Amino acid sequence: METRILKGKPIAQAIRDDVSARVSALGGRGVAVTLAIVLAGDDEASKIYSRSIERAAGKLGIEATLVAVPAGAGGDAAARTVRGLSDDPAVGGIIVQQPLPDGIPATIVEEIHPAKDVDGATTASLGLLLAGRRGFAPATPLGVIEILRGSAISVSGRHVVIVGRSNVVGKPLANLLLRKSEHANATVTVCHTGTGDLRRHTLSADILVAAMGRPEAIRGDMIAEGAVVVDVGVTSIDDPTSERGYRMVGDVAFDEMIGRASAVTPVPGGVGSLTTALLLRNLVEAVEHAAG
Ligand code: NAP
């Protein structure tokens, strides 16, 4: 069987083009698109990620501002900072970078109004998603939906098996896929470490989504012939043969999918390529909505 490699970059580019046009249209009406990125503490990976969002935003005419909160600021002060941004009409959307340092609880995100929660991080946003109401979903599960849609793979009426039930990937994705709408309407099974016979479930998938954080845990003999395989996982593993000394690996044994799956997403270059573009699409939607 020929296996399609579903690349994220061209789909991400189409999303960025759409965002850029919408930012220009808002600019024409005198409306600026602004994002506040709350960075608490000194986590190096968060700093790198924040700067990459800032750069990507800048290229699309979006003004992203880093709001630094010192690690020792304490939970109350950090919550006040987030609340202040949420109340500020000049701020279109807010993201709070994770992980947060000790002493700053994850609950500070709850200070973001759902209308500005472009990362879909609050329990209010998760609740709206569960209820099928208007709200923002996190970018990674949106990336799964968009890579399938952009590759003309329909999920409607098909059995999607998700391995992973986190609040940022598995659970929101299950709820997005369950919506009674054109690009959803799937039958969804969610697996986790308590699942009795994982292989029995993965073999029954028309579309398998791996979001486990377990390098190459999904092997070729765990999927049905012709299944579509979407790999969300990304783990850095030591690799002395690579220039950097490490490489990024997905949750799927990619080589074992070739010739067996009808389509598979690569890591890197698959779902992960879409996340920043989709975060910025959420942002432009938030600003459009606020502007009426
Ligand atoms: P997480 O919070 O650690 O959740 C992992 C989930 O996988 C849990 O529900 C866990 O089950 C399940 N799981 C782990 N090992 C399993 C096994 N052997 N069998 C069955 N289920 C298993 O991770 P996450 O935040 O959802 O992220 C998942 C992966 O996606 C990670 O590699 C992460 O780096 C990646 N990710 C990528 C992006 C992107 O932009 N591409 C964004 C976010 C995350 P339990 O609930 O029972 O523990």
Side-chain angles (χ1 to χ4, degrees), residues 15-213:
I15 295 166
R16 281 194 294 270
D17 291 345
D18 168 60
V19 170
S20 171
R22 289 160 71 179
V23 170
S24 297
L26 283 162
R29 293 166 54 195
V31 179
V33 181
T34 55
L35 174 70
I37 306 168
V38 178
L39 187 57
D42 300 309
D43 184 70
E44 227 19 75
S46 294
K47 280 188 196 166
I48 292 168
Y49 181 50
S50 301
R51 287 197 200 104
S52 85
I53 296 173
E54 217 182 354
R55 269 197 307 275
K59 284 184 191 159
L60 301 178
I62 295 169
E63 208 181 293
T65 310
L66 290 187
V67 181
V69 175
D76 289 346
R80 268 199 306 279
T81 299
V82 178
R83 200 178 316 138
L85 293 166
S86 190
D87 291 341
D88 183 348
V91 174
I94 303 162
I95 63 174
V96 174
Q97 290 291 20
Q98 308 282 344
L100 292 163
D102 289 346
I104 299 188
T107 48
I108 65 164
V109 300
E110 305 299 344
E111 303 294 340
I112 306 173
H113 190 280
K116 293 189 180 184
D117 182 18
V118 292
D119 213 12
T122 63
T123 50
S125 293
L126 282 170
L128 291 169
L129 185 57
L130 181 66
R133 297 206 356 235
R134 197 198 141 75
F136 293 110
T140 302
L142 283 178
V144 175
I145 303 281
E146 291 300 330
I147 206 162
L148 291 170
R149 178 151 73 150
S151 309
I153 294 170
S154 173
V155 297
S156 180
R158 304 184 79 189
H159 182 207
V160 182
V161 175
I162 303 168
V163 191
R165 59 175 161 189
S166 73
N167 287 340
V168 283
V169 190
K171 280 187 211 158
L173 177 60
N175 285 286
L176 285 168
L177 289 164
L178 279 175
R179 288 176 305 176
K180 199 167 181 174
S181 68
E182 197 191 342
H183 298 292
N185 224 15
T187 301
V188 182
T189 299
V190 182
C191 301
H192 43 77
T193 57
T195 298
D197 182 351
L198 182 63
R199 189 166 170 271
R200 178 166 72 83
H201 292 284
T202 58
L203 275 173
S204 72
D206 297 316
I207 299 172
L208 177 70
V209 182
M212 312 154 73

